[in-house]
């Protein structure tokens, strides 16, 4: 019985291979070129707007404090920790490793202490 199954499988496989190799359209498809968009083109597109109503429910995953939306940089800002979460395609990326550290403008007094 196993011999019959194997011989039938081999016959079917050979029949399919003969049919596929006889089809000329498959051979012509390999020569086609497909244009690929570069990442530079994606940056020029208009980003979808951020839904400000999400600020009522979104908090920083690290400090659990509310966030502030900055429209200029398209980021959610945590003032307490000094980090900014990017918004990509209208969706906040709340992964702490993806957050950007903000530079604080803290100036230490330069007067010497006597």
């Amino acid at each position: 019985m196993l011999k019959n199954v194997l011989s039938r499988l081999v016959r079917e496989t050979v029949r399919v291979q003969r049919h596929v190799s006889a089809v000329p359209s498959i051979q012509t498809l390999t020569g086609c070129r497909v244009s690929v968009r570069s990442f530079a083109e994606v940056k020029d597109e208009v980003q979808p707007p951020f839904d400000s109503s999400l600020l009522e429910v979104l908090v920083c995953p690290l400090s659990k404090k509310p966030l502030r939306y900055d429209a200029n940089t398209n980021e959610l800002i945590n003032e307490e920790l000094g980090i900014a979460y990017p918004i990509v395609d209208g969706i906040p990326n709340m992964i702490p490793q993806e957050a950007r550290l903000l530079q604080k403008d803290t100036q230490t007094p330069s007067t010497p202490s006597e």
Side-chain angles (χ1 to χ4, degrees):
M1 181 172 160
L2 181 62
K3 187 176 182 180
N4 290 338
V5 171
L6 288 177
S7 65
R8 183 175 173 201
L9 180 64
V10 169
R11 275 186 274 142
E12 293 294 323
T13 306
V14 170
R15 188 180 325 167
V16 169
Q17 287 177 349
R18 285 181 188 164
H19 177 69
V20 169
S21 63
V23 176
S25 62
I26 292 178
Q27 295 171 353
T28 59
L29 288 178
T30 58
C32 294
R33 289 191 177 185
V34 178
S35 64
V36 179
R37 292 176 54 188
S38 68
F39 287 108
E41 293 175 10
V42 175
K43 291 181 182 178
D44 293 338
E45 294 178 3
V46 176
Q47 294 281 333
F50 175 69
D51 187 8
S52 299
S53 65
L54 287 175
L55 289 175
E56 298 173 7
V57 294
L58 287 178
V59 294
C60 176
L62 299 174
S63 68
K64 310 298 188 251
K65 301 287 183 182
L67 299 167
R68 175 182 59 85
Y69 174 63
D70 186 8
N72 294 331
T73 60
N74 200 29
E75 295 175 323
L76 295 177
I77 309 292
N78 181 334
E79 300 287 346
E80 183 179 292
L81 296 179
I83 57 177
Y85 297 100
I87 299 173
V88 181
D89 295 330
I91 302 169
N93 185 350
M94 303 298 288
I95 301 172
Q97 290 85 0
E98 301 286 327
R100 177 177 66 88
L101 289 174
L102 300 175
Q103 295 178 355
K104 297 196 176 201
D105 295 331
T106 56
Q107 297 178 357
T108 56
S110 60
T111 57
S113 59
E114 294 180 35

